[in-house]
Amino acid sequence: VQWHSEDGSRVEGVYLYPLDITEGDPAPLVVQIHGGPKGRVTRSLRSYYMSSVWASEGYGVLLPNFRGSEGYGNAFAIANWRDIGGGDFADIMSGVDFCIAKGLVNPKQLGIMGGSYGGFMTNWAIGHTDRFRAAISMFGIFHLQTDYSNSDFPHWDKDYLGGWYWEDPDIYRKLSPGSYVANIQTPTLILHGDDDNNTFISNSKEMYQALRHRGVTTQFVHYPREGHGVREPNHKLDEMRRC
């Protein structure tokens, strides 16, 4: 599917129809955000989020290739430099509106989920809109300074923000989902691996602590021996059931 973002940019993605759809009966929608952000989604049966399982359970699934994704040229890939959570978030929400306008999904039954950068974007989204009825944050960034300080890949933050946090502390604050935690009302499931050295688990601990103290419905599940994503079969089954 293709749509136009709020600034007129053309955005592409994949939409999975739910099993046994009924024409004129819009489905609940799950938006699944890929990582990277310089990753991409393709039309494939297998993915980390197991999108086909969600479709088989009656959900429509939108997988957007928002700006910053690979496969659309260099200008598109770097279009979110110093703007993570800006134009890319607009691309995603425009995709949601596209699905609603097409009559595919019920605007009152929207969910969002993602891991790694998809987790960042999930955390960002629920701090900037109350349109989602539920969210699943999977090993995502909550505070960018925390991310830099604990990650085995600290250059990620500098590459996307244009400097270290002591050089430009304002942009680290401005673009951190944690800066908008007071806005979050969405029930949120938080998932993380205990041994994640990419996006350190402290991100999810900080988010869970804040949501609990604010009285937001939340659950935090952390998996032993797991790194950046859940791999052990029994953990994967538990992850899918909880989602």
Side-chain angles (χ1 to χ4, degrees), residues 110-190:
L110 307 177
I112 188 169
M113 64 182 290
S116 193
Y117 188 77
F120 166 91
M121 187 55 68
T122 297
N123 300 343
W124 180 270
I126 59 178
H128 288 79
T129 180
D130 60 0
R131 294 178 64 185
F132 295 106
R133 297 294 300 274
I136 305 171
S137 173
M138 312 166 84
F139 45 96
I141 296 170
F142 190 59
H143 281 116
L144 289 162
Q145 185 172 329
T146 296
D147 183 64
Y148 156 78
S149 300
N150 294 280
S151 177
D152 283 354
F153 304 96
H155 264 278
W156 184 96
D157 303 88
K158 180 178 184 292
D159 289 344
Y160 277 93
L161 302 179
W164 305 110
Y165 77 83
W166 55 88
E167 296 172 333
D168 193 351
D170 287 344
I171 196 169
Y172 277 73
R173 177 195 54 78
K174 178 183 176 183
L175 300 185
S176 287
S179 297
Y180 308 92
V181 69
N183 300 332
I184 298 177
Q185 302 294 335
T186 307
T188 303
L189 172 64
I190 304 169

Side-chain angles (χ1 to χ4, degrees), residues 65-88:
N65 279 327
F66 46 87
R67 69 189 70 189
S69 302
E70 65 182 355
Y72 300 91
N74 185 65
F76 192 83
I78 64 173
N80 58 350
W81 185 72
R82 291 177 64 86
D83 188 43
I84 54 175
D88 47 6

Side-chain angles (χ1 to χ4, degrees), residues 123 137 140 142-143 178 181 184 188-192 201-222:
N123 300 343
S137 173
F142 190 59
H143 281 116
V181 69
I184 298 177
T188 303
L189 172 64
I190 304 169
L191 305 173
H192 218 120
I201 196 172
S202 53
N203 282 278
S204 288
K205 288 183 176 180
E206 290 174 12
M207 183 177 185
Y208 177 63
Q209 186 92 307
L211 294 185
R212 280 185 64 229
H213 285 151
R214 292 200 53 253
V216 177
T217 300
T218 185
Q219 185 181 60
F220 178 31
V221 183
H222 50 100

